[in-house]
Amino acid sequence: MKNREFTEEEKIAAIRQVEAGRAAAEVGRELGVSKHAVYAWKAKYRGMDANEARRLRQLEEENRRLKALVANLSLNQEVLKAVIEKNGWSP
């Protein structure tokens, strides 16, 4: 069975069903995921609406991209330092 990525709206709808009294296992079975996935969604998205969850995803993606940029720049800096020291250009 192929893994399916659920939208924030689907995850929040599932959380609302659980909060309304349905069993997490029942909601998970209906969606084709485990009850543990439903609990993980609940821990992450509790109290949010779809717009807030979408914004959270955008911020997480931006944070990931910025961390990669910082790591790349740090690596470049270390390489340049090593080249300068090897060639004796340092004062």
Side-chain angles (χ1 to χ4, degrees), residues 27-46:
V27 173
R29 192 175 322 110
E30 184 177 294
L31 294 172
V33 297
S34 70
K35 67 178 180 180
H36 306 290
V38 175
Y39 286 128
W41 296 345
K42 188 175 178 182
K44 185 173 184 177
Y45 296 111
R46 176 183 286 147

Side-chain angles (χ1 to χ4, degrees), residues 14-30:
I15 293 167
R16 291 213 171 106
Q17 289 180 16
V18 171
E19 289 174 346
R22 288 185 67 195
E26 182 181 332
V27 173
R29 192 175 322 110
E30 184 177 294

Side-chain angles (χ1 to χ4, degrees), residues 8-85:
E8 286 84 9
E9 292 87 3
E10 292 172 321
K11 292 175 183 178
I12 290 171
I15 293 167
R16 291 213 171 106
Q17 289 180 16
V18 171
E19 289 174 346
R22 288 185 67 195
E26 182 181 332
V27 173
R29 192 175 322 110
E30 184 177 294
L31 294 172
V33 297
S34 70
K35 67 178 180 180
H36 306 290
V38 175
Y39 286 128
W41 296 345
K42 188 175 178 182
K44 185 173 184 177
Y45 296 111
R46 176 183 286 147
M48 290 187 189
D49 63 4
N51 291 332
E52 291 171 334
R54 209 172 297 117
R55 180 70 179 143
L56 174 66
R57 182 176 41 113
Q58 290 171 349
L59 289 173
E60 287 173 343
E61 175 61 27
E62 181 181 7
N63 192 29
R64 184 202 57 77
R65 190 176 46 79
L66 290 173
K67 282 182 178 182
L69 182 64
V70 168
N72 191 19
L73 289 173
S74 297
L75 181 63
N76 287 344
Q77 182 183 14
E78 291 299 318
V79 169
L80 289 174
K81 280 183 183 178
V83 168
I84 288 171
E85 288 176 5

